[in-house]
Amino acid sequence: MSVYFARHALLPEGWAKDVRFEVSSSGDLASVTPGCAPDGASFLQGLVLPGMPNVHSHAFQRAFAGRTERAGPSGDSFWTWREAMYEMLETIEPDEFEAIATDAYATMLEAGYTTVCEFHYVHNAPGGAPYARRTELADRIVAAARRTGIGLTLVPVLYRYSDFGAQPPQPRQLRFVLSFDTFAGLWRELYDAYGADAQIALGLSPHSLRAVAVADLPLLVELAGSVPARVPIHMHASEQLREVEACLAVHGTTPIALLAQSVALDARWCLIHCTHATDFERRTIAECGAVAGLCPTTEASLGDGIFPAVQFVRAGGRIAVGTDSNVSIDVSEELRWLEYVQRLASRERNLMHAEGEPFVGTYLYETTARGGAQASGRAIGALAAGRRADLISIACDAGTEPDTALGVALFRSGAWKPEDVIAGGRHVVRDGRHAGLAVEK
Ligand code: ZN
């Protein structure tokens, strides 16, 4: 059993002093006890926090992060970026796919993310032919997670169409396309292979309402309910106005309203972006207990728009953060942008907080860690006995009180420096560097 000690740790009941963490051989927290002496435990410097869950990643997109910042001849948007992404993907074979994911996951761990929900929709070979083993690329994602130590919620994605009204896929989308039955077979195979692995959870996803048929939705919910585990269900929703308009034109209603008419939404769902959700749709998400998975740096990069997070959380909505395109892998940048876009839209300050929690950094961190744990379907997001041993330590100025120190770490540029990262009990980052990949990176 490993034992760690922290002078200041953020526990579910608030900041605690002199905390001892006992980690079982299975990678869970066996006990968390404040008011102890170090007694030979490994000392974690600074603030100790639960590792942050990253609820939305397309790992392969890390390969071209920052390479699309050149204006095209007739204006750029999410849709022109997507064409560039498709073009880049055309050449990626399994070994490279795994290498990119491995690098992305090591970087996530160095940033303080200890779980990633990988929204996995690349199932086929370049050109669209199936691999001899249909789990080929899903297995590569698992291999990258195992090698780096990051907790993984693998979210295989059903993708069938290019747009609302069952439009046929474009040639470049053929790497994503599976029939419903093939997808269900793939999903069951992955469940059988990884369902008992403590490092891995399995989710499931309709890519978006433009990429599946409405009739697929109850079938996917049934598939998720066909196993004993609680299976989170993720979906892209209302990221772009064009998507909302196309949905209105074909179905006479907006995407999340259509989803809510088609299935009984509940706390298993994580809707990614929700940028252009209507008031009614945001209320629907909040009331059913689903999580809004926000990806502030990608949403800014792609010019999506601003989700009214302040109103949403004040109405009881649950939020989490994801790195999505992986143009940025930095917990502090994600949380800072989440707050800053609200400030820019309202011309006010210190918006993301709650009664009893006036510190914006602490509120953002606790809220997104909790929402992220729910969306990942794993026992994470809090430093408590029985949860996975996902701990990060953040350097801070000596003598600064913890709420202020966490605010500095998140809002002062360059101050977010995870020194030690322990994921599922594995001490994978020391002195800020991922242990296994330090030489290769
Ligand atoms: Zn996405």
Side-chain angles (χ1 to χ4, degrees):
M1 184 175 284
S2 317
V3 184
Y4 295 94
F5 179 84
R7 285 270 175 245
H8 299 282
L10 185 58
L11 304 188
E13 53 275 19
W15 292 104
K17 274 190 173 173
D18 300 333
V19 185
R20 203 175 150 83
F21 300 93
E22 292 185 333
V23 178
S24 74
S25 55
S26 57
D28 296 326
L29 286 167
S31 67
V32 177
T33 318
C36 290
D39 277 347
S42 303
F43 208 95
L44 300 172
Q45 303 286 347
L47 304 175
V48 170
L49 308 170
M52 179 59 72
N54 174 1
V55 296
H56 192 64
S57 160
H58 311 284
F60 75 88
Q61 293 178 11
R62 181 67 172 174
F64 86 138
R67 292 176 174 269
T68 56
E69 309 303 309
R70 178 184 175 178
S74 51
D76 292 300
S77 67
F78 169 90
W79 306 101
T80 57
W81 171 87
R82 195 179 71 158
E83 285 306 315
M85 184 266 284
Y86 286 172
E87 188 181 335
M88 181 273 298
L89 179 61
E90 277 189 321
T91 61
I92 297 183
E93 302 280 359
D95 286 348
E96 196 183 2
F97 192 83
E98 182 178 331
I100 298 164
T102 303
D103 179 73
Y105 295 167
T107 306
M108 286 176 198
L109 285 161
E110 289 182 350
Y113 293 111
T114 46
T115 275
V116 59
C117 299
E118 181 65 30
F119 196 92
H120 174 61
Y121 61 86
V122 188
H123 302 299
N124 299 320
Y131 285 106
R133 201 176 61 219
R134 64 185 163 188
T135 59
E136 175 70 49
L137 293 181
D139 293 337
R140 299 307 189 112
I141 292 292
V142 170
R146 282 186 170 155
R147 181 148 176 235
T148 56
I150 199 164
L152 173 68
T153 297
L154 178 63
V155 185
V157 175
L158 177 64
Y159 196 115
R160 298 180 63 197
Y161 306 113
S162 66
D163 213 342
F164 292 94
Q167 298 301 309
Q170 301 166 14
R172 282 173 167 174
Q173 294 170 332
L174 293 175
R175 289 198 79 174
F176 320 148
V177 174
L178 299 176
S179 70
F180 183 88
D181 288 343
T182 306
F183 174 79
L186 168 89
W187 192 81
R188 286 198 190 93
E189 218 172 294
L190 291 170
Y191 189 83
D192 289 343
Y194 305 119
D197 189 323
Q199 192 187 343
I200 299 162
L202 198 63
L204 171 153
S205 166
H207 175 273
S208 56
L209 285 169
R210 63 176 192 272
V212 301
V214 171
D216 294 328
L217 297 168
L219 298 175
L220 287 167
V221 172
E222 199 181 306
L223 184 61
S226 68
V227 295
R230 178 186 173 282
V231 175
I233 308 173
H234 290 210
M235 191 183 88
H236 289 132
S238 297
E239 180 177 8
Q240 283 283 319
L241 278 177
R242 188 171 113 184
E243 170 195 347
V244 176
E245 286 157 7
C247 187
L248 268 168
V250 172
H251 294 286
T253 187
T254 48
I256 298 166
L258 177 62
L259 175 68
Q261 285 167 20
S262 310
V263 294
L265 288 177
D266 58 32
R268 284 178 301 173
W269 285 79
C270 178
L271 300 180
I272 306 301
H273 304 302
C274 307
T275 315
H276 301 288
T278 64
D279 292 347
F280 166 76
E281 290 175 322
R282 284 197 305 275
R283 228 174 18 251
T284 302
I285 302 166
E287 283 170 4
C288 76
V291 173
L294 309 176
C295 309
T297 60
T298 294
E299 288 154 8
S301 166
L302 299 182
D304 288 343
I306 297 175
F307 176 78
V310 178
Q311 293 90 320
F312 183 69
V313 295
R314 287 182 187 165
R318 302 172 190 193
I319 57 170
V321 290
T323 59
D324 194 1
S325 68
N326 293 308
V327 67
S328 167
I329 298 179
D330 181 332
V331 173
S332 66
E333 200 178 19
E334 227 54 68
L335 296 184
R336 198 160 60 222
W337 270 93
L338 177 51
E339 166 73 15
Y340 276 179
V341 294
Q342 308 300 317
R343 295 188 188 185
L344 289 167
S346 69
R347 298 188 292 265
E348 294 174 59
R349 299 191 74 247
N350 294 336
L351 292 162
M352 297 293 282
H353 63 83
E355 214 177 312
E357 187 47 85
F359 288 91
V360 174
T362 308
Y363 175 80
L364 280 170
Y365 201 91
E366 289 189 304
T367 306
T368 53
R370 191 164 53 237
Q374 178 182 320
S376 75
R378 306 181 73 241
I380 55 170
L383 299 177
R387 304 285 180 115
R388 295 295 286 164
D390 289 356
L391 298 85
I392 67 173
S393 72
I394 303 292
C396 65
D397 302 335
T400 305
E401 154 299 311
D403 284 310
T404 302
L406 181 52
V408 169
L410 291 172
F411 284 91
R412 187 176 75 194
S413 72
W416 179 260
K417 287 184 181 156
E419 296 283 325
D420 290 279
V421 176
I422 294 143
R426 267 171 76 181
H427 199 148
V428 289
V429 172
R430 294 172 195 267
D431 298 327
R433 297 307 306 270
H434 189 280
L437 293 177
V439 178
E440 291 162 52
K441 284 195 76 190

